Amino acid sequence: MTRLTPDEIDRSEALFAPLAQSLRELVDVTIRSEADDADVRRAHALIEQATELLGSRLAPEPFSMRATTDGRTLTWGNVLIGKRNAIAPPLLVERDADGRATADLTLGAPYEGPSGQVHGGVCALILDHVLSATAHRRDAPAFTGTLTLRYVAPTPLGPVRAEAWTDREERGKTFAVGRLLDADGVVTVQAEGVFIRPRAKS
Amino acid sequence: MTRLTPDEIDRSEALFAPLAQSLRELVDVTIRSEADDADVRRAHALIEQATELLGSRLAPEPFSMRATTDGRTLTWGNVLIGKRNAIAPPLLVERDADGRATADLTLGAPYEGPSGQVHGGVCALILDHVLSATAHRRDAPAFTGTLTLRYVAPTPLGPVRAEAWTDREERGKTFAVGRLLDADGVVTVQAEGVFIRPRAKS
């Protein structure tokens, strides 16, 4: 596995995070574009040229996790928080002193399910992540055991907030609850989940 | 709302579906690239040029749904099945005579959560869609009421299959069950959901 120094991480992130951000715009306009055929063909050729340049040297491991020289792993590729992943909004989870996890984000056309609404599965994806954040400990990631979602109102595309907190802890299991709110503060999805931290190797 | 004729739909799809497919490759190599700084900068500039070309004319409505002259809506932008959405794998759901819904797809680096594994929330996104497909009727889309997911094993990145069928129907509610399987046919996630079809306006 490629191991990167903190300097290499900073330099790579400074190059790739803005590129991924531009790529998010490209994903969005690809859905909404009504450009002339000739412009679409030129854009397609530019996309293929960009892929060739970036693909000229690829990480040898099949997927996206990278280790750092100080033993951490990078989450550049993560589908929801990855700074190099154009699928990721990206989500930034904030945790307060009580362990409450919150994420504010804006979901545009690429996250649509029913017309003008966020796809119910995208709500699930976000809530899974924010609920699990209440269970994560440094060097002890938590895995989802069960997740239950109750859809109480449509979630319009636009700004949304996800919130989660711990209901109780029992022998390595965190019982978390949370919800998704629309721009007006209306709860659209309620969630509860059980998250499991594998026992530390002894 | 822009209304497209069947011919316009075919022509637009012939242009944009391959472009979106190229864009999926670009999303993937952006995560895994170890290209030289100069190549990364050139790729970034090409991405911005492509965005400018495609963005030269955008659909006036804020988001991605389009109507057709024969009264249907297009799902080009859908996050999971949209042919113009680079986030979408895209998913293709097949239904057999008994109403069983199945989708085979391959999930690479862009769908990663834990190292080498599909993000649990992506499993939820796919299962939400495939379970709901058992409840959809022509011109009567179903909305997710509740969805419960039980994660029984990690889902490795690579080929996966989602399956769903109807357990029972009650007054406009479909009780569906389903599961996600890895490339070896091992069940990794079990799901059950209640899907609601709004009453037809009379």
Side-chain angles (χ1 to χ4, degrees):
Chain A
M1 193 185 258
T2 317
R3 292 199 177 270
L4 301 175
T5 65
D7 268 3
E8 286 169 330
I9 292 166
D10 287 348
R11 228 188 47 180
S12 183
E13 219 167 271
L15 269 173
F16 276 100
L19 182 149
Q21 187 56 36
S22 296
L23 198 45
R24 288 180 191 109
E25 288 169 41
L26 181 54
V27 169
D28 182 82
V29 298
T30 295
I31 296 168
R32 301 193 296 124
S33 177
E34 296 187 342
D36 289 337
D37 292 8
D39 281 347
V40 178
R41 289 198 185 91
R42 284 172 60 206
H44 193 163
L46 293 170
I47 289 167
E48 288 182 337
Q49 285 168 43
T51 303
E52 205 177 314
L53 284 167
L54 294 178
S56 60
R57 210 162 65 211
L58 287 174
E61 55 268 27
F63 298 115
S64 58
M65 295 295 272
R66 311 279 169 88
T68 63
T69 51
D70 54 354
R72 291 174 298 146
T73 48
L74 286 169
T75 56
W76 278 340
N78 187 286
V79 65
L80 204 51
I81 62 171
K83 289 181 186 168
R84 277 173 69 156
N85 190 336
I87 294 183
L91 194 76
L92 182 66
V93 179
E94 300 198 5
R95 293 187 61 183
D96 68 15
D98 300 330
R100 192 183 182 94
T102 309
D104 287 293
L105 68 162
T106 296
L107 299 170
Y111 303 96
E112 192 178 57
S115 188
Q117 297 172 23
V118 180
H119 192 292
V122 171
C123 301
L125 169 60
I126 291 166
L127 285 165
D128 173 56
H129 207 95
V130 176
L131 265 71
S132 79
T134 67
H136 282 297
R137 302 290 175 266
R138 181 175 284 272
D139 300 323
F143 294 86
T144 312
T146 60
L147 181 68
T148 301
L149 303 144
R150 186 176 304 272
Y151 295 83
V152 292
T155 306
L157 290 173
V160 299
R161 160 173 285 205
E163 301 175 340
W165 56 94
T166 300
D167 184 54
R168 64 188 197 281
E169 301 247 4
E170 274 173 28
R171 288 168 302 184
K173 285 187 184 174
T174 299
F175 293 77
V177 290
R179 56 194 189 178
L180 194 71
L181 302 97
D182 70 13
D184 297 324
V186 174
V187 175
T188 61
V189 189
Q190 296 166 334
E192 49 185 87
V194 183
F195 299 87
I196 300 157
R197 278 189 301 280
R199 281 165 195 271
K201 289 168 194 123
S202 58
Chain B
M1 192 186 259
T2 316
R3 292 198 179 268
L4 301 176
T5 65
D7 267 3
E8 286 170 329
I9 291 167
D10 287 349
R11 228 191 46 181
S12 184
E13 219 168 270
L15 268 173
F16 276 100
L19 183 149
Q21 187 55 36
S22 295
L23 197 46
R24 289 181 190 108
E25 288 170 39
L26 180 54
V27 169
D28 182 82
V29 299
T30 295
I31 295 168
R32 301 192 295 126
S33 177
E34 295 186 343
D36 289 337
D37 292 7
D39 282 346
V40 178
R41 289 198 184 90
R42 285 172 59 206
H44 192 164
L46 293 170
I47 289 166
E48 289 181 338
Q49 285 168 44
T51 302
E52 205 178 312
L53 284 167
L54 294 178
S56 60
R57 209 161 66 209
L58 286 174
E61 54 269 29
F63 298 115
S64 57
M65 294 297 270
R66 312 279 170 88
T68 63
T69 50
D70 54 355
R72 289 174 299 148
T73 49
L74 287 169
T75 55
W76 279 340
N78 186 286
V79 65
L80 204 51
I81 63 170
K83 288 182 187 168
R84 277 172 70 155
N85 190 334
I87 293 183
L91 194 74
L92 182 66
V93 179
E94 301 198 4
R95 294 187 61 182
D96 68 17
D98 300 331
R100 192 182 182 93
T102 310
D104 287 291
L105 68 162
T106 296
L107 299 170
Y111 303 96
E112 192 179 58
S115 189
Q117 297 172 24
V118 179
H119 192 292
V122 171
C123 301
L125 169 59
I126 291 166
L127 285 166
D128 173 56
H129 207 95
V130 176
L131 266 72
S132 79
T134 67
H136 282 298
R137 302 290 175 267
R138 182 174 284 273
D139 299 323
F143 293 86
T144 312
T146 60
L147 180 69
T148 301
L149 304 144
R150 185 176 303 272
Y151 295 83
V152 292
T155 306
L157 290 173
V160 299
R161 160 173 284 205
E163 301 175 340
W165 56 94
T166 301
D167 184 53
R168 63 187 197 281
E169 301 247 2
E170 273 174 28
R171 288 168 303 185
K173 285 186 183 173
T174 299
F175 293 76
V177 290
R179 57 194 188 179
L180 194 71
L181 302 98
D182 70 12
D184 297 323
V186 175
V187 174
T188 61
V189 188
Q190 296 166 333
E192 48 186 85
V194 182
F195 299 87
I196 301 158
R197 278 190 301 278
R199 280 165 197 271
K201 290 169 194 121
S202 57

